[in-house]
Each structure stands twice: as C-alpha cells, then as structure tokens.
Amino acid sequence: MIRRTKGSALERVSWEVAMTFFMEKFNQAWAQGHENLACYNSGQLTLEEFYTLAKLWRGGLQSSNIDGRTRLCTATSATGLMSNFGADGPVASYADVDVDEADLLCLYGHNVAEAQTVLWERMLYAKACNGARIIVVDPRRSPTVRQGADLHLQVKLGTNVALMNGLIHLLIRNARVDMAFVAAHTVGFDKLKEVVSEYPPA
C-alpha cells in the first residue's frame, strides 16, 4: 500500500507500482542532496550484511545518515539489563511460562503472537492447561490481544512505566512484598520505594 501525498489515504497497488513509486521518491530525495537520505537498519543482520550496507550507504550513496536498532534499542536494553540484573540477556527462561509454572502472564507492549510465535504457543498452552491468565498492556489491539488476552489494558502511549510504578506502589503499600527476599537478593529497594511513592492509583 502507498500514500501518494501527505495526509492522503493508503492505496492498495501492485508490487511493481509500489516499487516504481518508491524509486521515484528515493531519487527525488537523493537529487536534493545525499545527506537527505537516511537508513535505519535491523539488528538481525549478519556482520557481512552490516558491512555491505554501510559501504553501500556511505560510499555508494554518499550519506552518513545511517543508524540501527543495535545502538538505539539493543545497547540501551543491554545496559539496563546489566545494571539491574547483572546479565545482558533475557532474565527469564521458557520454563517460567511453562504449564507448571505460570498462573499469570503480563505482557507490556509485547506483541508475542507476531514477534515470538513459539513462545506465544507455550503461553496459550499454559492458559489452556492450568488456567493461566494473560494480561496485555498495549495501546494497540494487536494479534496478541485478539488471540489470547483475558484482560487488555489499552493505556495511552508512554504510560506503561507509570502503570508499573503504580502497581509496585500498591504492592508496597499493602505489604505484599517479601522483604526477606528483597533484603537477601536485591539492591536499591529504598530508591524504588521513593520513586513509586509518587505513583498512587489516582
């Protein structure tokens, strides 16, 4: 689908028409100056593909505007995971969402049904076998919401952290935190408590 002018409706077209339209727009942008082009690449490329894309973009198209998910997303995620959990990979395993473990699964902006189909099947299996409930927090009505959510919290964009802080606020206020576990296995709880004190349900 293409949008011929800014603000117009999307129009369903053939692949050939779409590619011709794309090339026309690309060439128009390039004719206005090489720095008018920008490339945002995937984190799923191989080392050789990264190298080739960089050479094509910087050398062939003569644009320095190239960036990618690995710096803007992965690097920040890895830094946050390292500082909070001491490891830069996922902090949970598939066993954590297995049929014998999961009673409640909370997904924040994570469209598992499309992004991680095998994991999603395990979640649905947990739901079918032991009555696990699935809560999805997402502004979108995604396939995950449509296929398996028991509760869809359709929050406003950018408010998921406020929601999590509010939930932690309630857990602390209602003495639902295992303080012995916190003392033995965590750091920074007092700072967390201070931050979430500003997030009552109201």
Side-chain angles (χ1 to χ4, degrees), residues 128-197:
C129 290
N130 70 346
R133 288 172 51 80
I134 298 174
I135 297 174
V136 181
V137 180
D138 199 320
R140 306 161 297 176
R141 188 163 169 73
S142 68
T144 302
V145 170
R146 296 194 304 271
Q147 292 173 22
D150 294 290
L151 177 62
H152 176 208
L153 299 179
Q154 197 166 14
V155 296
K156 293 180 180 178
L157 287 171
T159 62
N160 56 336
V161 173
L163 172 63
M164 286 187 267
N165 286 345
L167 292 171
I168 297 169
H169 173 99
L170 289 174
L171 289 170
I172 294 171
R173 190 179 78 183
N174 296 327
R176 303 293 294 186
V177 178
D178 183 346
M179 294 309 296
F181 180 91
V182 168
H185 301 287
T186 71
V187 296
F189 183 79
D190 289 338
K191 180 63 178 175
L192 172 70
K193 188 175 178 179
E194 180 186 331
V195 169
V196 301
S197 69

Side-chain angles (χ1 to χ4, degrees), residues 104-105 107 120 123-124 127 132-136 148-151:
L104 176 65
L105 302 167
L107 306 171
W120 181 235
M123 290 178 176
L124 292 177
K127 181 177 175 178
R133 288 172 51 80
I134 298 174
I135 297 174
V136 181
D150 294 290
L151 177 62

Side-chain angles (χ1 to χ4, degrees), residues 97-119:
V97 293
D98 213 336
V99 291
D100 297 327
E101 303 293 334
D103 294 318
L104 176 65
L105 302 167
C106 298
L107 306 171
Y108 287 80
H110 188 181
N111 184 10
V112 191
E114 286 190 317
Q116 292 177 288
T117 53
V118 174
L119 181 59

Side-chain angles (χ1 to χ4, degrees), residues 21-35:
F21 179 78
F22 168 76
M23 289 308 302
E24 286 174 358
K25 294 295 183 184
F26 189 92
N27 286 327
Q28 286 172 15
W30 195 22
Q32 295 171 28
H34 300 171
E35 290 303 306

Side-chain angles (χ1 to χ4, degrees), residues 47-81:
L47 182 62
E48 293 79 10
E49 288 168 336
F50 275 124
Y51 178 84
T52 303
L53 181 59
K55 286 294 184 186
L56 169 68
W57 207 260
R58 292 191 178 101
L61 297 173
Q62 300 171 351
S63 172
S64 60
N65 299 329
I66 180 170
D67 211 334
R69 177 184 170 277
T70 45
R71 186 181 75 82
L72 297 174
C73 172
T74 309
T76 53
S77 297
T79 301
L81 287 165

